[in-house]
Amino acid sequence: QVQLVESGGGLVQVGSSLRLSCIGSGFSFSNYGMSWYRQVPGMGRLLVAGIPSGSGGKNYADSVKGRFTISRDNAKNTVYLQMNNLKPEDTAVYYCNAGQAWPRYDSWGQGTQVTVSS
């Protein structure tokens, strides 16, 4: 059974940083690209960043390029999202999934709320 558990969100001020974590289990984590998505009420989930399983380029939404960095630790089955210089428009619930550019699994974790106040 696939499980994705996100953590690390919080309420921060503009310009602050946060690091999100996502632990994946129930699948061969190291064999899959991973990605982060975010969702605001009334909208669908949008791809924020993706990282391949091995070598290769990472991908980022234009709105976060230069501010967010995705990384992974296969020994810990964990994918991270380092978010710097946060803006109010980054406020959303953040989710992870397997797959670098599209969600591989239909089931999602509970997500982690990021709120950026001005």
Side-chain angles (χ1 to χ4, degrees), residues 12-31:
V12 297
Q13 293 189 338
V14 169
S16 297
S17 297
L18 281 174
R19 189 176 81 154
L20 308 183
S21 300
C22 168
I23 300 175
S25 61
F27 63 101
S28 184
F29 183 90
S30 62
N31 287 343

Side-chain angles (χ1 to χ4, degrees), residues 34-48:
M34 294 293 295
S35 48
W36 283 95
Y37 298 79
R38 64 188 182 189
Q39 185 175 30
V40 298
M43 302 290 287
R45 290 186 182 95
L46 298 179
L47 179 66
V48 174

